[in-house]
Amino acid sequence: MVSLVGPGGVGKTRLSLRLAGQLSRNFPDGVWFVELAEVRDPTLVASTALAALGLREHGKGDPVAALCAQVQDKRLLLVLDNCEHLIAQVGQLASRVLKSGPGVRILATSREPLGLIEEHVVPLPPLELPPLDTEDLGKIRLNEAVQLFMERAAAASGDFELTGDNRSSVVELCRRLDGIPLAIELAAVRTRALTPAQICGRLGRRFSLLTGGSPAALPRHQTLQAAIKWSYELLDEQEAHMLRRLSAFAGRFQMDDVEMVCLDEDSASAATELLSSLVDKSLVVRDLAARTPCYRLHESMREFGHLHLVETGEIDWMYERLATHYTRRCGQFAAEGRHRLLPWLFWMELEADNVRAVLDRLTLAGNPAGLDLAASLMYFWITRATSEGARRFDRLLDTGDGGAHPVAHFVRGFLAVLQNDPQVATRNLLKGIEAARVQGLDALLAQLLAMASIASTMSNHPGAARRQLEEAKAITAGIDEVGATLMVHQASALNGLLNGHPSAVIASATPGAAMSREIGDQYSLVMMLMNLGLATLQLGRTTDAEHHFLEALAIARDLDDRVAQCYLLGGLGCCASRRQEPRLAARLFGAMETLREEAGATLNTGISRALDPATATAAAALGPSRFAAETATGRSLERAAAVRLALGEKPPPSDPSASATGPAPLGRRELEVARLVAQGCTNKEIGARLFLSERTVESHVRNTLNKLGFSKRAQIAAWAAAHAD
C-alpha cells in the first residue's frame, strides 16, 4: 500500500490517475478507482468500494467481508482517493483487504497518512519553485510551476506567452503561491482580464493578510485557502452567493438542482450564466455523467464555501432547501418509477450522494421525513442497494414513530424477502399490516398482505400464507389499484413456484405479465417472465421457458438488475442443458455463480429445484473434469459478456473488453483526447494542447463515454492506459 500525502490542491488525484494508468498492465484484474470525497457516512466506505468494482450489495452480510471475498484471488490495484475525512474507516478497510488479497495493491491519496503498518507514505510536495536569481527565459520555462501557469494562462486568454517583461511577475506569483497547482490555476485564469503584474499587485498586500491566520495551520494549506479566498473576493455578489451555496451539495449536481436550490424564483433564470462564469474561473468543474452535463466542486473549494455558508448564517436555510428539493424529486420517483424506471434510476445514480446526505441529516435529527424519503426510493434499494436500504430502514424504524409508517415497513419487508430473510420480512410486514388497517389504507394493506404471504411461504407456514393471500385478493377485487393487483399476481406466482405448483404460477404470472406490459412496469415484467420461465421449465416446455428467460434477461440488463440477471443466467443454463448443449450450460452456471457471489444473493428453492437436475445432466454429458473447466470459464466471464453469451449476441466491435489487443474503437482525435484524460487533464487543458475549443473537447469526451459504454472520466483514463501503444 502506497499513500500519496500532501495538502489540498497539490494534485494527488491527478497523480494517482496517472500512476494507475501507467501501472494498469501489471494488474490483470484491473485498476479500480474509489472516489471517497463525496462520501460523508463512514458506514458507506466499503459499499462505495464495492460499487466502484461494479459490484452490488444485495445480501445480509458485512460489506467489508463481501469486498474481501471478491478480491481474495485477484491481482488488482485499488485507488482510494480523498481519504482524509474517513481515516479510521478507510484504514480498517484497507488493512482487511490487504490481508485477504495477497495480489491486491492499494494506492491511496490523503492529506494525512492512514497510519497502517502496511502503508508506505510518499509525501507529495508542491511544484518546484522558479529561481529568483536568473533572467534566462529558457531556464525559467523549464520550471514546473511556471509551465503550469503558462499552460493555464494560455488556455484562459488564448495568447499568453512568457516574455522578458512579464518574467519577474510570473516568477513572483508562482513563488508566492508556494507552487500549489490549484492556487496557480486560480491565478492563471485571471490573465483573461489582467496581466501577471496586475495580478501580483492585487494579490500582494491582501495575500499577505489572508495567510496571516492561525500559526498552527500548515503554511501551504494557508496559501491554498488564501488563493481561494482571493478568487472568491474577486467575484461579484451574485457569483459569490452562488459559489458558497453550491458547497451545500454533497456530490455532483445538475442545472435544475442549482435553479431550485441555490437561487430564488425571480433569479433562477440567471443560473446558467452564473454557473458558466464560475466554470470559466476554474471555481466549479463541469463534468459529463453518461452524456448528462453535471457539475461539482473541488474538495478544497467545497470546504471553503461551506465555511462561508456557516459564517453568513445560510447553512440551515440551504439544508432545508436541499431537503425540500430532493424530497420532492424522490417523491416523483416514487410516483413515476413504476412506469419510467430507467430514467429515474439514472437520475438517482447521478444524485445519490446528495440524496444520501439529505437522508443522513434527517435521520440524525430524528425527522420523520427521513422515513418518507427512504420509502420513496424503494426501486433504487431493490435494484441497486438492497443491503444499504435494509440498514437505513433498520436505523430509521428503530427511532421515532416508525410503527405508524406502513409504507416503510412494506419496503423493509420487500428488501428482506429479496435477501431471503423471512423472519425480518415477517416482523416488518406484520407491523405494516397493523398500521395500514388502522389508517384505512386498503391498497397498501393488500400489498403488505401479499408480500407477507411470500414470507410465510419461505418460512414454511402454508396456512398463514394462504390466509394472507386470500385476504389480499379479496381487497384488490373491490378496488382499482394497479400496484396492489400486480403484487397479488406476483405473490400468487412466487408462492406457487416455491411450493412446486407450476400451473398456479402460470395462472397468476400470465395476466401479471400482460398488465406489466400495458402500463410499462419493467421491473414487474421481469419478475413475471422469470416466474413463467421457471414454471414452464418444470412442465418440460423448454422452448417456452427459454423465450420467457431471454425477454426477461434483455430487460434486466437494461435495468442493471444484478439479482434478476443471476437467476436468468441460471434459467437459461437449465434450458441449454435440456437442449443437450452441456458446454453452454456449464458456462452459464459458472457465470451465474460469479454473479450470485458478487451480488451476495441467496438462491430460492424455486430455481434450485430446476438447477440441480440440469447441472447433473450437463456434468454427466461432459464428464467431471471438462464440466469443471467449462464452469470455470463461465465464472471468469465479465457480467456483460456472460449476458451476451446467454442472449446469443456477439461482442460489439466497440466493446473494449472484447479484445485487450484489438483495434481501438475510437477515432484519432478521440484517442488523443482519451490519452490526455488519462494524464489527468481537464477539458480546458486538453483544448489548449490540441488547439480545440472546450466545447469540441467536451463533445469528444461525450462520444468516447458513449462508445466505450462508460459513465466516468476515470474509466476512460484506465481504458486509455490499457490500450496505450
Side-chain angles (χ1 to χ4, degrees):
M1 177 177 180
V2 173
S3 292
L4 303 177
V5 176
V10 81
K12 300 184 292 296
T13 297
R14 289 188 188 182
L15 180 58
S16 70
L17 281 170
R18 183 70 176 272
L19 286 170
Q22 292 178 343
L23 295 170
S24 62
R25 296 192 178 198
N26 299 329
F27 298 98
D29 294 307
V31 174
W32 305 93
F33 193 81
V34 185
E35 300 174 87
L36 295 170
E38 296 167 355
V39 177
R40 293 294 177 263
D41 184 348
T43 65
L44 292 179
V45 170
S47 302
T48 303
L50 281 169
L53 268 69
L55 308 174
R56 295 261 171 82
E57 281 187 277
H58 291 287
K60 296 181 290 183
D62 173 17
V64 178
L67 179 62
C68 291
Q70 288 299 319
V71 303
Q72 61 184 353
D73 57 350
K74 300 288 196 305
R75 287 179 56 198
L76 58 83
L77 175 64
L78 201 60
V79 182
L80 305 175
D81 189 43
N82 285 298
C83 303
E84 53 275 349
H85 60 301
L86 299 162
I87 291 291
Q89 292 75 22
V90 175
Q92 293 167 9
L93 176 73
S95 184
R96 286 185 61 179
V97 166
L98 290 170
K99 289 180 173 65
S100 301
V104 175
R105 299 293 180 266
I106 294 178
L107 177 64
T109 73
S110 179
R111 295 182 191 176
E112 60 180 287
L114 301 187
L116 301 181
I117 295 174
E118 305 93 336
E119 183 180 26
H120 299 268
V121 177
V122 178
L124 186 59
L127 301 176
E128 176 191 2
L129 298 179
L132 286 172
D133 56 355
T134 181
E135 296 184 1
D136 185 344
L137 286 179
K139 186 174 181 180
I140 293 173
R141 286 193 181 101
L142 294 177
N143 176 262
E144 294 175 333
V146 172
Q147 285 181 356
L148 179 63
F149 183 90
M150 290 167 56
E151 287 182 8
R152 299 304 185 272
S157 64
D159 58 357
F160 180 83
E161 292 184 10
L162 184 71
T163 66
D165 293 334
N166 63 26
R167 171 194 56 80
S168 60
S169 298
V170 171
V171 168
E172 182 184 352
L173 272 173
C174 293
R175 293 185 66 87
R176 185 171 288 167
L177 296 172
D178 286 341
I180 297 174
L182 180 58
I184 291 172
E185 290 183 18
L186 292 174
V189 77
R190 292 291 172 180
T191 57
R192 182 178 290 128
L194 304 171
T195 67
Q198 289 173 323
I199 296 173
C200 269
R202 285 164 167 75
L203 198 61
R205 186 174 60 85
R206 180 181 301 182
F207 195 78
S208 64
L209 290 173
L210 292 174
T211 54
S214 169
L218 291 174
R220 285 168 182 157
H221 185 72
Q222 287 183 324
T223 299
L224 178 60
Q225 291 297 308
I228 293 173
K229 187 170 184 180
W230 174 72
S231 295
Y232 175 77
E233 290 178 344
L234 292 176
L235 300 176
D236 64 33
E237 185 177 354
Q238 280 190 309
E239 290 172 332
H241 271 81
M242 172 72 86
L243 183 63
R244 64 175 179 262
R245 289 176 180 180
L246 291 176
S247 70
F249 289 103
R252 296 175 297 191
F253 47 88
Q254 300 179 74
M255 184 63 73
D256 63 339
D257 301 321
V258 176
E259 292 171 348
M260 296 301 297
V261 175
C262 297
L263 296 172
D264 300 322
E265 290 184 12
D266 57 351
S267 59
S269 59
T272 301
E273 182 179 344
L274 288 171
L275 208 50
S276 297
S277 177
L278 293 174
V279 170
D280 288 342
K281 293 177 173 66
S282 297
L283 299 173
V284 172
V285 180
R286 190 176 191 271
D287 274 339
L288 281 171
R291 297 169 296 192
T292 299
C294 57
Y295 303 86
R296 61 180 173 84
L297 293 182
H298 186 282
E299 191 62 15
S300 297
M301 205 70 67
R302 194 203 313 272
E303 291 172 358
F304 175 87
H306 187 269
L307 287 174
H308 273 260
L309 268 183
V310 174
E311 289 176 2
T312 58
E314 295 175 280
I315 188 68
D316 292 336
W317 178 80
M318 278 300 300
Y319 282 163
E320 287 178 11
R321 300 264 296 195
L322 284 166
T324 299
H325 173 62
Y326 284 107
T327 299
R328 181 184 63 81
R329 293 288 280 157
C330 292
Q332 289 179 271
F333 185 179
E336 301 174 6
R338 181 184 296 279
H339 314 287
R340 298 181 61 246
L341 190 53
L342 272 175
W344 273 111
L345 285 175
F346 170 75
W347 175 86
M348 182 58 194
E349 288 181 330
L350 194 151
E351 298 274 9
D353 290 311
N354 295 315
V355 176
R356 285 183 172 116
V358 170
L359 188 52
D360 287 341
R361 286 192 290 270
L362 293 174
T363 303
L364 188 62
N367 191 324
L371 274 173
D372 294 328
L373 178 56
S376 68
L377 298 173
M378 181 180 76
Y379 284 107
F380 176 73
W381 306 130
I382 289 170
T383 61
R384 296 293 189 272
T386 306
S387 300
E388 180 192 344
R391 290 194 298 270
R392 285 188 178 276
F393 275 106
D394 287 342
R395 194 183 317 163
L396 285 161
L397 290 167
D398 281 345
T399 60
D401 192 17
H405 204 299
V407 178
H409 282 297
F410 172 74
V411 179
R412 181 62 184 99
F414 198 154
L415 297 176
V417 166
L418 291 177
Q419 293 179 315
N420 278 321
D421 191 349
Q423 286 74 32
V424 171
T426 299
R427 182 170 65 249
N428 280 277
L429 293 167
L430 291 180
K431 289 180 180 178
I433 288 169
E434 181 181 355
R437 289 192 199 280
V438 171
Q439 297 174 35
L441 303 173
D442 289 346
L444 179 57
L445 177 59
Q447 294 187 66
L448 283 157
L449 286 163
M451 187 64 71
S453 76
I454 298 173
S456 295
T457 299
M458 294 169 68
S459 300
N460 197 26
H461 294 137
R466 186 170 53 254
R467 288 191 300 273
Q468 289 160 341
L469 187 55
E470 288 303 318
E471 184 179 356
K473 288 180 178 179
I475 294 172
T476 56
I479 61 176
D480 182 17
E481 211 286 323
V482 66
T485 303
L486 276 175
M487 191 69 252
V488 168
H489 282 311
Q490 174 63 9
S492 300
L494 188 54
N495 287 344
L497 190 66
L498 295 175
N499 290 325
H501 300 145
S503 58
V505 178
I506 294 171
S508 297
T510 300
M515 181 178 292
S516 299
R517 288 186 207 281
E518 183 180 350
I519 66 172
D521 186 339
Q522 291 181 295
Y523 180 80
S524 292
L525 181 57
V526 169
M527 298 299 107
M528 299 297 178
L529 290 170
M530 188 191 308
N531 292 335
L532 282 171
L534 290 170
T536 50
L537 194 65
Q538 287 183 33
L539 293 172
R541 292 157 46 185
T542 304
T543 301
D544 289 342
E546 186 173 36
H547 173 77
H548 295 313
F549 288 144
L550 288 171
E551 183 183 0
L553 182 57
I555 301 170
R557 176 173 62 180
D558 289 342
L559 295 178
D560 199 14
D561 186 333
R562 308 285 175 82
V563 174
Q565 290 176 55
C566 167
Y567 272 74
L568 292 163
L569 288 176
L572 286 164
C574 293
C575 292
S577 180
R578 292 271 190 93
R579 290 197 319 269
Q580 298 182 359
E581 295 183 59
R583 183 167 171 265
L584 174 60
R587 291 191 175 190
L588 292 177
F589 292 149
M592 176 203 68
E593 188 60 20
T594 295
L595 191 50
R596 184 196 66 76
E597 292 174 355
E598 288 180 357
T602 303
L603 301 180
N604 65 39
T605 57
I607 191 168
S608 298
R609 191 179 288 114
L611 281 171
D612 293 342
T615 302
T617 298
L622 291 173
S625 60
R626 191 177 172 200
F627 178 78
E630 295 294 348
T631 302
T633 299
R635 286 185 66 92
S636 68
L637 290 174
E638 295 282 344
R639 184 180 64 259
V643 172
R644 285 196 302 269
L645 175 66
L647 293 173
E649 298 175 350
K650 293 181 179 180
S654 62
D655 185 354
S657 66
S659 170
T661 58
L666 306 180
R668 178 184 63 82
R669 185 63 85 184
E670 289 166 341
L671 276 172
E672 291 175 340
V673 170
R675 287 164 182 158
L676 290 173
V677 168
Q679 294 178 26
C681 295
T682 65
N683 287 353
K684 186 179 293 186
E685 296 159 16
I686 295 170
R689 294 195 186 189
L690 300 181
F691 302 101
L692 301 172
S693 71
E694 189 174 352
R695 180 171 296 180
T696 300
V697 174
E698 181 182 299
S699 177
H700 285 312
V701 172
R702 181 169 60 249
N703 290 340
T704 300
L705 289 168
N706 293 341
K707 285 186 176 183
L708 300 180
F710 294 157
S711 62
K712 296 182 179 179
R713 292 172 72 95
Q715 294 171 299
I716 295 179
W719 182 91
H723 292 75
D725 295 333

